[in-house]
Amino acid sequence: MYRYFSALRAEYTPLLLFAGRWLLICSIVGGLAGTASAGFLVALDYVTNWRETHPWIIALLPLGGFLVGLLYYFFGRSVEGGNNLLLDEIHSPQATLPLRMVPLVLIGTLLTHLFGGSAGREGTAVQMGGALADQLRGPLRLRPRDRTLLLITGVSAGFASVFGTPLAGAVFGLEVFLIGRLRYDAILPSFLGAIFADYVTRLWGVGHTAYPLLAVPVLSPLSLLSAAAAGIIFGLAARSFSGLTHLLGGFFKRLIVWPPLRPVVGGALVALAVWALGTTRYIGLGIPVIKEALNVPVPPYDFLLKLMLTALTLGASFKGGEVTPLFFIGATLGNALAPGLALPMPLLAGMGFVAVFAGAANTPLACTLMAMELFGHECGLYAGLACVVSYLFSGHQGIYGGQIIGQSKHGLWARQQGKRLRDL
């Protein structure tokens, strides 16, 4: 009996020490990321409301782009890689992420939204979470092998806190950097960081957008075929967005040598498009349109206009994330597909909300969990099927060029295994 308990103690003592250690680390990371996200969300709401009540400022979008360009040219060259820099550090740890990544991406994103760019917010929260977490490596005397777990924790914390989806945030951090594989040694830190960060953001009194619970039809062959067909279209939309964004980014780099001028030209084009359209419907986050698409029919071209303006904004080197615009693109595209598929319009919009993101970010598991957290668990099967099919049909492309293909999506693409998306 003594030997039995000695063996148990020898086995579980390291596990308890590991859990206790990361519980402390994740509480700190969650506190930092949650606080940063809370401040960011409050500031983002303020600049968005100010822009909507003072639409004349959109005419100054080229000036806003110049300010963003100058900011990164003089102070942020080492961190302009953004999310891809985080992914590269997870794959091949080099140096601690500069702390200036936090104020730079925060200010850059707020300027983008204030002047009327079409961008999101997840990139900002993820970069702040990752950079803040990385600063703990020295004070806590973490070993080099722990740094990867620390960065994954920061990514999960940032994502969870900005969307209010701790389960999706936890799995996003595990899933995003390596296509087709998960880092199970990081599963405890990732979950703890996401939970703490979400809790801290809510503790500050900062809420998140509330979406309706989605009613689902009884399972049938026709409804499942409709979900799969929608998933194919969502995957192609995700691929189109990723490809256009990268194409425009490369075009601006070839056409304009001096980086600060790229967002000036891009900003002028976006401002002209807004003036020509006569509406601010397709700039900023677009949350009102997303909520509209979940309830009533919207113009079938909404998704295309948002896709083009967002690709132009981000391709011209404005700062912000891709995810909320992808929510917009997916929700409005799902809404437009409703007349031709045997599924309710709100459900298709909710499926598109997560599935286009799943295809563009190559994170089908996180997006399935997000659907269940935002729209109710009943939609999980339909949303999950759409996310998985979208993931497959988006191919080996995505919004994050730093992702490595850990397991190819299909055996025919096995030769691309082990490569970064940006190298394909």
Side-chain angles (χ1 to χ4, degrees), residues 115-138:
F115 286 94
S118 176
R121 52 190 172 175
E122 121 287 339
T124 307
V126 165
Q127 290 173 50
M128 290 194 300
L132 289 170
D134 209 22
Q135 308 310 308
L136 300 176
R137 184 174 61 154

Side-chain angles (χ1 to χ4, degrees), residues 99 107 115 121 123 179 230 303 324 339 379-380 391 421 423:
L99 185 58
I107 295 170
F115 286 94
R121 52 190 172 175
I179 296 175
F303 80 94
T324 307
C379 72
Y391 165 78
L421 292 188
D423 298 328

